[in-house]
Amino acid sequence: MEKFCSIWKHTFWNGVGDDLHYRIIEGGQKSTWLSSFKTSSQRRLLTVVLQGAAGVGKTTLAKKWMLDWAQDHLPETFHSAFYLSCKELGRQGACTFAELLAKKCPDAQEAGPQVLAQGQKILVVIDGFNELRVPSGSLIHDICGDWKEPKPVPVLLGSLLKRKLLPKATLLVTTRPEALGELRLLVDQPLFIEVEGFLEADRRGYFLRHFEQQDQALRAFRGMKGSPALFPMGAAPAVCWVVCTCLKGQLEKGEDPASTCRTPTSLFLRFLCGQCPPAAPGNSPAPRLPTALHALSLLAARGVWAQTSLFDGQDLGRLGVSESDLRPFLDGKVLQADADCEGCYAFLHLSVQQFLAALFYLLDGAGPGDSGSCAQDIGDVRALLSKEERLRNPSLTRVGHFLFGLANEERARELEATFGCRVSLDVRQELLRVTRARDWPFSSRADTRELMRCLYESQEEALVREALAPVKELVLHLQSERDLVQASFCLRHSQALRSLSLQVEKGIFLENDGIFLENDRFWEPGMWAERSQQDHHALCRWTELCSVLSSNENLTLLEVSQSYLSHSSVRILCEQITRVTCNLQKVVIKNVSPVHAYRDFCLALVGKKTLTHLILEGSVHCDSMLLLLLCEALKHRRCNLQYLRLGSCSDFTHQLNDFSLALKVNHSLQSLDLTASELGDEGVKLLCGSLRHPNCFLQWLSLENCHLTEVCCKELASTLIVNQRLTHLSLARNNLGDGGVRLLCEGLSYPECQLQTLVLSQCSITRRGCQHISDFLQGDSSLTHLDLSLNPIATGLWFLCEALKKPGCNLKCLGKGMQALWLLPPVFLLAGPGVCPGQQPEAGGPGPGPELLGAERDHRALRGPEAEIQPFEELRLRADESSAQTQKLLKEVRDSNPKLNIDCKAAQAASSFYGEFPFFTPQDNFPVIY
């Protein structure tokens, strides 16, 4: 142990351990944990888990704390610390636990009993738990408590974590996040610490220490910070070293480092090529260099697919190379001797290994199967990009990014010039085939973000243009400035895009309050100025993204929802909307902040001749000025708006006179949705005055959940008689009652009424209301679609069946989402003339199952010749509570009666069957997550 301490003190990487940051995320406090390493009187059993990304310093921090533990030495006790490297032990065969400890501490084998007795004085570091290659869940079941029983190393480590071995020892485990699920099953009440690595100030300090000239250091640091993809990787000290190494040479030559920092691919390509400068004109690179590069990339690819980062001399021998062949890469630290495992090698950082693994797919003759048995365990490009493989092996995600980055023709030529190798771009066509709309294996918003990252990494416009050529709809969830940068680059080259949905998370744009909190602290003046500069960069990228609205003539649908914007970002978006070349036809603005953004959007849309559909939902309920602007837009001579939805508009009644006047002036509006607006009975009466005006062209009207009662039904009934253009009316979720239904039916019974669809779901209608509806249905009614779902009508269905049997009934579709199938056999709903509906069902009939009321007997009426003369064309039933027998009967009905459309979707209490207005046409297919 003393030898280890002395060696580690001298090899500590430039004081990196002192700069590493970590935070308790579960199970305790930082001060309590640190104090446990400064005293030998600890009595509490403790398991500590250091988690973090690759290379952020988990191992460094663990070894530093080992020094603290060992230096607190008490001569009268067996006080020691053991370091167990999982990536090293994973290559070892079965052994006993005593042999495992003796390998790390020869004194431990003789002091076995003392170790057991003084277990609380022992620290065991299990480094790299994620490197254990065992089937999921196997460590839980195979447990060993015998020191002398030979077992595979993973079993011994699992038993140690389960405290079957050294039950009183303090355990310190390091792992990457992807292995936390398995680890949690083994440890009991652990203390979880997230290792964050270098924070921004630490990275800046590292650059200042690396460069001799401060101006060069700050310029290099700004170059890395300006790359949203590269800067987060700087939390790993090794990545900071790579950046400094690459940029130092460029700055000394007077070159601009911006291109090197643009993407991780450009950085690691510069780093790799820097190991072997291009040969002089007329000269060729070293003859063994292409072979060595091929072997190195093959080694990296095999390691990524096998999820290992440690290689020995036998691994090199199988590739046909020796240490001397790899000398340029060893001297440049691309590959280096492992500090913990003698005779083994590891790449400088996981990202370097992933970059070289991607390079394997491009080197000519390096495809799987071309390198013999060494490449047989490496998946092809389709496997590399598949979601299933990436879930099993998260490292493949970044390999995919690098592969897109290396598919750039300019980068391929640089590799050929530097190493004298042949780079094949055939993989480029394979990438394009995989990213085609029908082949790309992703379907969620997160996967769309992944596609943007891959295409951005390529930095090749032609590749992005070809990949996005078939894409017509995109749903983008912008969670960081990195997402914004990548999306803006890609959308500029997507000319086929027709519909775009945006969701912008908080923090991308600078808030307009002047002061805000981040990580529970206020911004300081200097930090505020720096954040303002970052906001400037974000707004530049936002401008590029929004420019697609005016540059893409095919883009006709825009949705901005659940978004945190700023005044500047809203102004930029509205500026693009107002341009003549912007051809937006449908716009959706939902739950957007700041509140005044709705006014800006409304002003931008005034006089927009192409706009036909508009949805405003969210903060419209508290902005009366917005409603005034909207009225002006409706009255504008160039207004062609056909569909308007105002969601949750509480101040609507105060502007109702202006709105009514706008309806009389406007000749284009056909559909109006005022769902959840606080109209009330008095507001509806005012609205009906406009609806009865001869210049009102409304055809669809939704007053769902508008606090209406029986009082307003007389006005509505008279409106239905006068306004013969109105064909669809939704009054769902209003307390109309049977009295309101009676008044409505009086209007519906007039021959002048042309209403075709009536939605009365959840309107407190009972059996008596059904009788009123039955009476007018038996007359010469124009009504073809009726929704009575979620009403306690009980045996009122019997009255409806009586009406359905009449030859004059024009009803084609009866929405019955609230009733379970067992309340009414199918023949009751489809009874044509002369078909007896059978026994009247009782209210609250039996549940689902074989005892359906006459279903097995009466389904013949649906299949027989008489079914062809019944008036129904569509039957909607709730399928989530129907039995297998019912499903079988319905299948027989479909097969024998093709004219009948049976819709067996699960019932939804919050929506009616006919409550959706025609905002999205069939050809829109929006929103679609690509």
Side-chain angles (χ1 to χ4, degrees), residues 443-454:
S443 59
S444 69
R445 296 189 180 192
D447 297 330
T448 302
R449 186 186 308 115
E450 178 66 17
L451 173 63
M452 297 293 105
R453 289 184 176 180
C454 288

Side-chain angles (χ1 to χ4, degrees), residues 574-882:
C574 292
E575 183 178 308
Q576 294 295 326
I577 293 176
T578 57
R579 295 197 175 187
V580 178
T581 52
C582 175
N583 296 322
L584 284 179
Q585 298 175 12
K586 302 179 180 182
V587 175
V588 182
I589 309 295
K590 298 172 63 175
N591 301 318
V592 173
S593 66
V595 175
H596 298 313
Y598 287 88
R599 298 183 186 178
D600 296 329
F601 283 119
C602 198
L603 279 172
L605 296 171
V606 170
K608 190 71 179 176
K609 191 174 182 179
T610 59
L611 186 69
T612 58
H613 294 66
L614 176 63
I615 290 180
L616 298 175
E617 291 184 356
S619 300
V620 296
H621 65 278
C622 56
D623 193 349
S624 57
M625 180 60 68
L626 169 67
L627 298 174
L628 289 175
L629 292 173
L630 185 60
C631 291
E632 292 302 314
L634 289 172
K635 291 187 289 185
H636 197 279
R637 60 182 179 83
R638 299 185 62 186
C639 177
N640 287 322
L641 199 62
Q642 299 174 14
Y643 174 97
L644 174 64
R645 180 190 296 175
L646 292 175
S648 304
C649 191
S650 59
D651 287 345
F652 193 71
T653 53
H654 298 89
Q655 310 297 332
L656 200 54
N657 288 329
D658 295 314
F659 192 78
S660 299
L661 178 60
L663 290 180
K664 297 175 183 178
V665 174
N666 182 281
H667 293 172
S668 62
L669 196 64
Q670 299 175 11
S671 302
L672 177 62
D673 187 346
L674 300 177
T675 297
S677 297
E678 297 182 8
L679 282 175
D681 296 324
E682 294 303 318
V684 169
K685 291 179 180 179
L686 290 174
L687 184 63
C688 286
S690 300
L691 296 176
R692 291 192 291 265
H693 195 276
N695 289 337
C696 180
F697 289 83
L698 278 183
Q699 299 176 17
W700 291 62
L701 176 63
S702 175
L703 301 177
E704 182 176 342
N705 192 23
C706 287
H707 307 282
L708 309 184
T709 67
E710 176 184 344
V711 176
C712 68
C713 289
K714 187 173 183 179
E715 287 285 340
L716 286 171
S718 63
T719 301
L720 294 176
I721 299 172
V722 175
N723 189 335
Q724 298 183 13
R725 296 189 179 97
L726 196 63
T727 59
H728 179 115
L729 176 63
S730 175
L731 299 172
R733 294 196 290 165
N734 288 298
N735 190 23
L736 304 182
D738 295 333
V741 170
R742 178 181 58 81
L743 294 173
L744 286 175
C745 289
E746 291 179 2
L748 291 168
S749 61
Y750 277 74
E752 292 83 0
C753 176
Q754 299 301 312
L755 196 70
Q756 299 176 13
T757 301
L758 178 62
V759 181
L760 295 175
S761 62
Q762 205 170 343
C763 287
S764 302
I765 302 173
T766 68
R767 178 177 180 274
R768 186 178 299 276
C770 286
Q771 187 172 5
H772 298 314
I773 295 174
S774 176
D775 292 341
F776 95 82
L777 285 177
Q778 296 180 44
D780 188 16
S781 170
S782 61
L783 202 66
T784 58
H785 294 72
L786 175 64
D787 185 358
L788 293 173
S789 59
L790 300 171
N791 284 295
I793 58 179
T795 55
L797 285 170
W798 189 258
F799 295 109
L800 297 177
C801 291
E802 290 297 317
L804 297 178
K805 292 190 295 181
K806 303 297 182 181
C809 180
N810 293 318
L811 204 62
K812 295 181 179 180
C813 186
L814 177 62
K816 223 176 68 56
M818 80 302 182
Q819 296 288 347
L821 182 60
W822 61 87
L823 284 182
L824 199 65
V827 68
F828 285 3
L829 290 177
L830 301 172
V835 180
C836 178
Q839 183 180 357
Q840 179 177 351
E842 297 180 359
E851 297 300 323
L852 294 175
L853 292 178
E856 185 174 6
R857 178 186 70 250
D858 296 330
H859 83 286
R860 299 175 183 175
L862 295 169
R863 297 188 293 133
E866 64 271 22
E868 298 182 2
I869 61 174
Q870 57 83 28
F872 271 144
E873 295 177 356
E874 181 174 8
L875 172 64
R876 293 180 181 262
L877 300 171
R878 188 170 69 183
D880 56 337
E881 296 184 6
S882 59

Side-chain angles (χ1 to χ4, degrees), residues 121-139:
K121 306 293 185 180
I122 294 175
L123 169 68
V124 181
V125 175
I126 303 175
D127 188 27
F129 176 80
N130 52 279
E131 294 273 355
L132 288 179
R133 301 274 69 82
V134 292
S136 179
S138 62
L139 295 180

Side-chain angles (χ1 to χ4, degrees), residues 200-220:
E200 181 175 333
D202 306 315
R203 296 171 219 180
R204 186 175 185 274
Y206 187 94
F207 275 65
L208 290 172
R209 291 196 300 269
H210 191 92
F211 286 83
E212 296 178 359
Q213 299 182 23
Q214 181 177 341
D215 59 334
Q216 288 188 353
L218 294 179
R219 187 179 177 188

Side-chain angles (χ1 to χ4, degrees), residues 523-530:
W523 286 97
E524 298 174 0
M527 298 173 67
W528 177 262
E530 185 175 353

Side-chain angles (χ1 to χ4, degrees), residues 5-275:
C5 292
S6 62
I7 293 175
W8 183 246
K9 285 181 181 178
H10 291 293
T11 57
F12 222 63
W13 192 355
N14 293 332
V16 162
D18 297 327
D19 294 335
L20 296 176
H21 289 262
Y22 56 94
R23 60 187 180 93
I24 306 292
I25 58 176
E26 183 180 336
Q29 296 180 351
K30 187 173 181 179
S31 58
T32 304
W33 161 239
L34 288 178
S35 65
S36 71
F37 273 91
K38 296 180 180 180
T39 176
S40 60
S41 60
Q42 180 188 1
R43 292 294 183 268
R44 176 190 171 213
L45 297 180
L46 190 59
T47 300
V48 181
V49 177
L50 296 180
Q51 68 175 76
V56 294
K58 300 183 295 296
T59 300
T60 300
L61 203 55
K63 290 181 176 180
K64 182 178 185 297
W65 286 347
M66 280 183 67
L67 293 179
D68 293 341
W69 181 279
Q71 289 170 354
D72 191 21
H73 182 65
L74 294 180
E76 66 274 10
T77 63
F78 189 87
H79 185 108
S80 189
F82 299 93
Y83 175 77
L84 304 177
S85 172
C86 292
K87 65 180 179 181
E88 174 189 359
L89 295 176
R91 310 174 71 86
Q92 181 176 322
C95 65
T96 67
F97 186 64
E99 292 170 345
L100 189 66
L101 290 185
K103 185 177 180 181
K104 293 297 179 182
C105 181
D107 298 335
Q109 191 162 8
E110 297 180 1
Q114 291 87 342
V115 170
L116 287 173
Q118 303 292 334
Q120 63 189 21
K121 306 293 185 180
I122 294 175
L123 169 68
V124 181
V125 175
I126 303 175
D127 188 27
F129 176 80
N130 52 279
E131 294 273 355
L132 288 179
R133 301 274 69 82
V134 292
S136 179
S138 62
L139 295 180
I140 306 172
H141 305 293
D142 198 353
I143 300 296
C144 174
D146 187 351
W147 275 50
K148 298 181 180 181
E149 183 180 359
K151 287 284 186 180
V153 171
V155 173
L156 296 177
L157 295 180
S159 303
L160 181 62
L161 291 168
K162 291 289 288 184
R163 295 197 173 275
K164 298 300 181 182
L165 298 167
L166 293 178
K168 295 184 179 181
T170 295
L171 304 180
L172 177 59
V173 189
T174 73
T175 184
R176 293 181 200 156
E178 54 262 28
L180 279 177
E182 185 79 10
L183 184 59
R184 283 180 180 272
L185 299 176
L186 295 170
V187 295
D188 183 31
Q189 295 183 337
L191 173 70
F192 283 98
I193 298 178
E194 181 181 7
V195 181
E196 299 172 301
F198 279 175
L199 300 183
E200 181 175 333
D202 306 315
R203 296 171 219 180
R204 186 175 185 274
Y206 187 94
F207 275 65
L208 290 172
R209 291 196 300 269
H210 191 92
F211 286 83
E212 296 178 359
Q213 299 182 23
Q214 181 177 341
D215 59 334
Q216 288 188 353
L218 294 179
R219 187 179 177 188
F221 175 73
R222 287 193 296 269
M224 182 179 73
K225 188 178 178 181
S227 172
L230 183 60
F231 189 63
M233 297 172 63
V239 175
C240 284
W241 181 83
V242 170
V243 175
C244 291
T245 301
C246 291
L247 299 191
K248 188 174 184 179
Q250 284 189 278
L251 291 172
E252 289 175 351
K253 297 177 183 178
E255 299 176 1
D256 185 4
S259 59
T260 300
C261 294
R262 185 167 291 123
T263 65
T265 301
S266 56
L267 171 70
F268 288 109
L269 178 62
R270 174 65 60 185
F271 174 64
L272 182 66
C273 293
Q275 314 309 311

